[in-house]
Amino acid sequence: MTFAHLEARADEIIGLYEYPRAAMLPLMWLVQADQGWISPEAEGWVAARLGVAISRVREVLSFYGMFRGEPMGRRELKVCTSLSCRLRGSEALLETIEDSLGIKPGETTPNGSVTLTKVECLCACEMSPMVQLDERFIGPVTADDTGTVAAITQDARSEPDSPAASPEPAPFIDSSGPVLSTRFGDPEGVWFDGYTAQGGYEAARKVLTSLKPEEVIEQVIAANLRGLGGAGFPAGRKWSFVPKNTEKPVYLVVNADEGEPGTSKDRHVMERDPHALLEGMLIAAFAIGAHKAYIYIRGEYFRPAQRLQRAIDEAYAQGWLGADVAGTGFALDVVVHRGAGAYICGEETALLSSLEGGKGQPKLKPPFPAISGLFGCPTIVNNVETIACVPFILRHGPERFAAIGTEKQGGTRLFCLSGHVERPGVFEEPVGVTLRELIEERGGGVRGGKRLKGVIPGGISARILTAEEIDIAMDFDSVGAAGSMAGSAGVIVMDEDTCMVSTLDSAAHFYADESCGQCSPCREGTGWIHRIVKRIGAGNGKLSDLDDLLTISHDMEGRTICVFSEAAAWPVQSYIAKFRGEFEDFIRSGRSLPSASAREVAHA
Amino acid sequence: MPELSIDGRKVNVPEGTTVIEAAEQLGIFVPRYCYHPGLSTAGNCRMCMVDVENSPKPQIACNLPATEGMVVETESEQARKDRAAVLEFLLANHPLDCPVCDQAGECDLQNYYMSFGLYDPRFGEQKVKKQKAIEVGPHVMLDQERCILCSRCVRFTDEITKTGEFGIFNRGDRAEVGLYPGETLDNPYSANVVDLCPVGALTERSFRFKARVWYLSSTESVCGGCSRGCNTELHHVSNRPHLNDGERLLRVKPRHNPDVNQWWMCDEGRYGHDWIDVDRLGEVRRRTDEASRRQVESTWEAALDGVGTALSAGGARVGVIASAELTNEDLFCLREVLGAHLGARIALPPAPAGGTSDDFLIRPDKTPNRKGATLLGIPDAATPSAEALVDAAIAGELDVLWVFGHDLVELVGAEKTRAAAVGECLLVYSGTNDHATVSLAHWVLPSAAAVEQDGTFVNCDGRVQRVGRALAPYGDSRENRRFLLEIAARTGTPAREDWNGPAGVFATMAEAVGSFAGMSYESIGDQGAHSAPSEALAEAEQS
């Protein structure tokens, strides 16, 4: 294998970064795209190009789910089996695809055409159950939709460049606004001309020509903009933590590593309104004094990354990025950096570790990123959706944004409704919308007229709420007060037939798979929990397992570098606390008895 | 200087001190796996969690800066629970193969379980399977199942040797420590990862299945492998000869000394001790037949009488080839007894060229005490070279040539060595190990090795450090100092009685030699003390 033809591109890539090592993931992507996998020779080439030990390259290769350490099929068909897809039949779909292709997950067809892979959430839950063929999302598709299944398997067996037989997804994506979704109507996206025709970049021009950074921060604070990645920290206050007059460069990093199961929001901003994100980044970078920004986008998001890059190229061409933005003298460069399949990289310090070319392992705090983040420099990490709200605030004033929301949280959110609702989709709503309104009015209620059993309000990490607990506003504080969290606004709805043991198995598998493995309680606890839940699911549970699960999850909580272990613990605790009877009945009978009526029959 | 309280006791610490360090100042030990003062902070094991007032979560003491008024509890109910919980996680997938693990007895999983765990184990699932008994390098064996992924070894090869061999691959509970396939852990400091490993994941191949550690005795000493003088602990057995094929020294561990070697030592020094029990000289020998130069076993009395008589003969011309392997105390006695009184000319062959070295610990001079010899004025400016002394012996200009340690064949070649041995000059050899010169000597006086006696070395930076006596002198060998004093008695040399002990010689040396002025054997302690720069040293450094 030779790499001579990649050298020039490698030089360009390395040139984008302050330190060569940060080019680790992009160089590995480069090799994999060229050769189909990352061979030992390729690892050696990457190590030599970056000046690192080859063991560092192997660490990265083995950490990220999307890097291939061995040759695979010419195409890869990924079937999502995370909770939202599972609730709508992904297990049956996977079996059908297995039968059709004649291979199991992890295997490649004998002719080398396609590798079948079972994956965790691809954050396209509005189209669940869904699959990804190479770079393309396809869904929804269920096992009984024989036509689509046949089209998918036909596509999977065909050569990579063949025209697709399977249909382009057409999920419900709200475009009613008022803040984030107004330009979501065109699935092909709004580009520079369309964006500026609607007043795009006016807010940025105003900021760059007439405001001081601290005035921008004041407006964002006044708007009550909260961190919409899931933590809800006030965005303006976060910006204010960057030390003034620091001699180090300051970085803005946009977290586009959308990965929380049940979530689908940032992708639509990047695919359909990418300039809103770029304009927000210009304003944020000006406010914190950054002249270099990175967008860390999850590796599975091929099309969003391509569209973002197209928008960035447009912005450079139009003078809205570069050394002298719009003639104002302000400089900003933006680099899109692709992840490679690791949920933990959504945690902001893990994201920085990954961006620096390492495994995505969270960093110790203190120091916090605002003081010492990317490359040891002050860094602000904000979610895509958060940044995309910023142009609205600066254009229409913080009062208007604040007024849309609740007392302590301004604006709207992009809620993803998935699971057992009539109409899954992405809906922009004021943050004060109630969970009941979301499910019953936006989502059309529980599918098939069934009764609601439970709902996870903010991505799989959030504690489950029962049917009696849905009359709550969806802002961070209200959902927190109700004992759960608004998180990523991924609302997963479960009807009365949902088996909670199976649901917990989905969550437990996810966390065991995605734990970065750094802290002992999380590394060992997630695997331990998953093995117990799997054993219960196989009919070999003991009643004492439930208390063990509770104490193990409790022992993980609050004892690790990041909050992943909490996220892993809360589903365990809340499912068992709220559905203990069902868990006990499952253990006693060794089978799934999800509904009260089924359990009564079993007891009789 | 923030003042904080730990377990109800107040302590003032410099700004930037962590709680784990502050606790150490109070003598409070906070258990830890990943934390090591010589490495960057990883914070992954979570064993050092402490209870901090007004903090909703437990905090890891290794990354927690001490602040004014902070109130820390390391023994509260909560802190105990936190530690027990972490231990249970760490032991969940641990194979618990202590009966066949070399680490047993010095394992921090065992130790902490007894001190901080003592929970009823609940783990009943299938454990994660990983690889065992992987020879990762010439000195180190890896067991991935025993590993608790503290990353000390990874940080060592990243930050200290900068060789980057170790990595932690995969994620979640599939994470495993290892090397890139086909790579070898063969950097010059590789075995330090064994010392760093808090569990039985990295063990020494040379120590594998040799002995349970509770059979080992430990002596603080200094490595004699080069002029750095890394501080060591010698681990040895004397009453269980079956444990290590009769070799008494089982392993050497580096001992912390911030001014010399920090926590580390090189593999060359660590494993350069085979000679202590192999090919040793254990009996006095004398030449019985001039023609065949046959040697037979003799006695110390006969040898000392014989050599003493030769030295006392009126106008005896004496040459001594000394060695930089000798302690200061030996060299001082040699200088006083043979040099000052008997007028011996004392040569000290220079270090052979081409010794390996680096910019960390390894020095090119593979002798431990050249600087000490220099401070003692050995060789002085008027002393001929070793080769000149041999030439003088061949030419009949010497009556006695006394060689310490050196193999003359290496110094002057086989021909001259043979010529010196067949002439009129009495050839006396003292040393520890057998080589070509030994069989040519008229008298062979077996010397105790440095680890078989007390004394001091001066390292390359002028630091005076004590060598600890770990073992009894091999066979019938004796400390050089001891038989030099016997020679003194037989030659009418005014030696002092208290020179029999290292403290006594050192006291006299401190009076007589400016560089050691004001020091005592006691005051040197276990961390050594810096010698005063002397004129001789300054001159030696200029030349």
Side-chain angles (χ1 to χ4, degrees), chain B residues 1-24:
Chain B
M1 291 278 286
E3 185 187 74
L4 70 161
S5 144
I6 305 177
D7 293 349
R9 295 161 61 195
K10 293 220 158 37
V11 62
N12 275 291
V13 293
E15 202 73 45
T17 307
T18 59
V19 168
I20 208 168
E21 293 163 344
E24 221 130 88

Side-chain angles (χ1 to χ4, degrees), chain B residues 282-288 296-308 442-446 476-478 483 486-487 490:
Chain B
E283 59 184 32
V284 178
R285 299 183 73 79
R286 69 180 171 88
R287 191 192 288 183
T288 54
V296 295
E297 184 172 353
S298 182
T299 65
W300 275 103
E301 278 306 305
L304 294 167
D305 286 347
V307 177
H442 291 91
W443 289 101
V444 177
L445 310 182
D476 201 19
S477 69
R478 289 186 183 178
F483 59 72
E486 300 263 12
I487 291 291
R490 282 166 171 78

Side-chain angles (χ1 to χ4, degrees), chain B residues 271-286:
Chain B
Y271 297 110
H273 57 71
D274 276 357
W275 61 273
I276 290 170
D277 282 316
V278 174
D279 288 337
R280 277 295 295 275
L281 302 177
E283 59 184 32
V284 178
R285 299 183 73 79
R286 69 180 171 88

Side-chain angles (χ1 to χ4, degrees), chain B residues 95 122 140 219 282 341:
Chain B
R122 291 175 295 181
V140 181
T219 305
H341 190 70

Side-chain angles (χ1 to χ4, degrees), chain A residues 43 55-56 59 62-63 341 359 366 512-515 518-520 523-524 527 531 535 551 559-561, chain B residues 44-46 63 82 89-90 93 122 125-126 148-149 158 164 166-174 180:
Chain A
E43 288 177 287
S55 57
R56 295 287 89 75
E59 282 189 332
S62 65
F63 186 87
K359 294 182 285 183
D513 191 45
E514 295 289 353
S515 167
Q518 189 176 200
C519 301
S520 333
R523 177 183 68 239
E524 305 296 336
R531 275 170 273 176
R535 180 164 50 73
T551 52
R559 291 181 168 92
T560 47
I561 292 173
Chain B
N44 60 40
C45 77
R46 316 306 288 180
N63 192 51
D82 291 336
F89 284 124
L90 286 171
N93 278 301
R122 291 175 295 181
E125 313 306 313
Q126 186 71 42
I148 57 164
L149 297 156
D158 253 17
F166 274 110
I168 293 178
F169 308 115
N170 301 319
R171 67 189 189 201
D173 63 9
R174 287 86 60 214
Y180 187 85

